[in-house]
Amino acid sequence: MTDPRLHAVLEDLAIESAGLDALVADRPEEDWRLPTPAEGWDVATSIAHLAWTDEVAVLAATDKAGWDEVVLEAIADPTGFVDASALAAGAVPPEELLGRWRIARARLAEVLETHPAGEKLPWFGPPMSPTSMATARYMETWAHGLDVADALGATVAPHDRVRHVVHIGVRTRAFSFAGNGLDVPVGEVRVELTAPGGATWGYGPEDADQRVTGSAWDFALLVTQRRHRADLDLVAQGADADRWLDVAQAFAGPSGTGRAPSSVEPDSPVVEPDSPVVEPVETAP
């Protein structure tokens, strides 16, 4: 029987994927070649990255030899591996690429739902449970979907499915410091965020001196580096909480230069495409 937590994440992932699919389907090829805010990536590259990562996750769960081959490729080119795979896969005609992503995401959902209970999947970082993998795939789909929407001039309405991104963002606080070469603060942080639906999502001890408050949607934008902190409504109380908001990232790999504030000219540094390596998450909210 499928873990109900996993089933809930997969349902939300399917909804998120379908929304992005509908946004790009039937568009002319020139729309697929529009640049996104992720430096060097266009709409096609973003979809290709999602398809490729879904396929690799399937290999990790089902094909040890195939997975080992991917790992060796990553070791051979650790800084350019993600870009090279996305750019190559994105060069095909849009209808072919979209078909590939549809097959890949459906296959991954099937594999995760039938994966043996208690058995983790190997990944580029520590092994991940099926629920962790589904949550990570949700985060990437949401984040790259925002990039695509930006490129196409579309607006994404906030929704409560973003709780999966928020969950990873909270869980990766220590990683955010370590990944930036900083000492990890020893104190706890209380995070209280207002969900798009109006509820309050709370994480950490209620009596913690260090606090972060604001909207859940903005917090997700921050930890995926899709918007600059200056453009968001997040408020930090305490020096450690304030430093966290400066370095927060819910994905592994280099942090990149980040998104420029909206008041800065468009040719300012933009966020790097994120790595498929994601901090494991054992439970979905």
Side-chain angles (χ1 to χ4, degrees):
M1 179 178 179
T2 302
D3 183 336
R5 297 171 302 168
L6 171 60
H7 187 72
V9 180
L10 289 175
E11 282 190 335
D12 285 349
L13 175 57
I15 294 170
E16 198 70 30
S17 299
L20 178 54
D21 189 311
L23 180 60
V24 299
D26 301 323
R27 285 184 177 268
E29 180 153 357
E30 54 263 34
D31 283 1
W32 285 75
R33 306 306 168 189
L34 290 172
T36 73
E39 189 173 11
W41 286 27
D42 57 18
V43 170
T45 309
S46 302
I47 300 299
H49 175 64
L50 295 177
W52 176 87
T53 312
D54 287 346
E55 291 168 348
V56 170
V58 170
L59 285 179
T62 65
D63 184 349
K64 184 180 185 306
W67 164 249
D68 288 345
E69 184 176 340
V70 172
V71 171
L72 291 176
E73 292 175 3
I75 292 173
D77 185 15
T79 59
F81 176 62
V82 173
D83 277 352
S85 300
L87 291 170
V92 304
E95 61 272 16
E96 179 180 334
L97 175 55
L98 187 56
R100 175 181 174 183
W101 181 41
R102 287 169 176 169
I103 292 172
R105 70 191 200 233
R107 175 61 177 148
L108 177 59
E110 176 187 354
V111 165
L112 293 180
E113 283 202 292
T114 58
H115 197 71
E119 182 179 310
K120 293 190 175 184
L121 290 71
W123 200 234
F124 297 96
M128 303 177 75
S129 71
T131 301
S132 296
M133 178 64 75
T135 308
R137 300 307 308 128
Y138 182 91
M139 180 190 70
E140 274 210 292
T141 303
W142 181 82
H144 287 295
L146 292 177
D147 292 343
V148 170
D150 284 345
L152 298 175
T155 300
V156 178
H159 49 70
D160 281 1
R161 295 188 304 278
V162 78
R163 67 187 182 276
H164 304 301
V165 183
V166 170
H167 182 69
I168 297 181
V170 172
R171 289 288 299 272
T172 52
R173 180 172 66 91
F175 168 81
S176 296
F177 284 94
N180 282 274
L182 302 172
D183 291 335
V184 180
V186 297
E188 297 281 0
V189 176
R190 174 66 177 177
V191 179
E192 290 187 356
L193 304 170
T194 302
T200 297
W201 295 341
Y203 305 84
E206 294 185 8
D207 60 350
D209 292 332
Q210 306 284 323
R211 306 178 74 83
V212 169
T213 57
S215 77
W217 191 262
D218 278 13
F219 181 82
L221 290 171
L222 180 79
V223 299
T224 56
Q225 296 189 358
R226 261 48 192 183
R227 295 291 185 272
H228 191 277
R229 179 182 175 182
D231 295 327
L232 304 175
D233 68 3
L234 301 172
V235 176
Q237 176 183 315
D240 291 342
D242 188 65
R243 281 194 292 269
W244 177 29
L245 295 189
D246 283 338
V247 300
Q249 65 179 81
F251 54 91
S255 62
T257 53
R259 193 73 57 88
S262 59
S263 59
V264 178
E265 293 300 317
D267 59 355
S268 298
V270 294
V271 68
E272 297 289 338
D274 53 86
S275 162
V277 189
V278 180
E279 184 78 1
V281 187
E282 290 308 323
T283 58

